[in-house]
Amino acid sequence: MEKLNQNAVALSFGIITAVVYAACIIFIAIAPLETVITVGNLFVHGIDISSIATKNITVARSVIGFIVVFLSSAVAGYVFAWLYNLIGEKV
């Protein structure tokens, strides 16, 4: 079984989620609040987010969120590849 490159998987996870995060920020910025709430409710399995939804997102919060999403996803990707390689050796 071929091993995964942990750094490549980590970077891939980080990039993919960062792109999705950026798309989400753009969507929130251009879509009406009601549309944002409707779509947001679809992602949280029926929880009503209308009381917490806002379009007051600052550039600083967006950048910090972007960094946090990238880093946490990269760590998840690294752990995923590590675990995949570990299990692959034993199977």
Side-chain angles (χ1 to χ4, degrees):
M1 177 178 220
E2 188 174 332
K3 286 191 170 193
L4 295 175
N5 179 318
Q6 291 165 263
N7 292 330
V9 173
L11 189 58
S12 298
F13 272 47
I15 290 171
I16 292 293
T17 55
V19 167
V20 171
Y21 182 84
C24 183
I25 289 293
I26 292 167
F27 172 73
I28 291 170
I30 63 175
L33 184 58
E34 288 185 16
T35 303
V36 171
I37 292 169
T38 300
V39 173
N41 285 341
L42 295 172
F43 278 94
V44 291
H45 309 290
I47 298 171
D48 184 10
I49 66 165
S50 61
S51 63
I52 60 171
T54 182
K55 290 184 67 98
N56 298 331
I57 299 173
T58 65
V59 172
R61 284 179 62 191
S62 297
V63 170
I64 291 168
F66 186 85
I67 292 167
V68 168
V69 163
F70 176 83
L71 291 176
S72 61
S73 297
V75 168
Y78 190 90
V79 172
F80 169 81
W82 172 80
L83 188 58
Y84 177 90
N85 292 337
L86 181 70
I87 292 170
E89 291 174 357
K90 299 183 187 311
V91 175

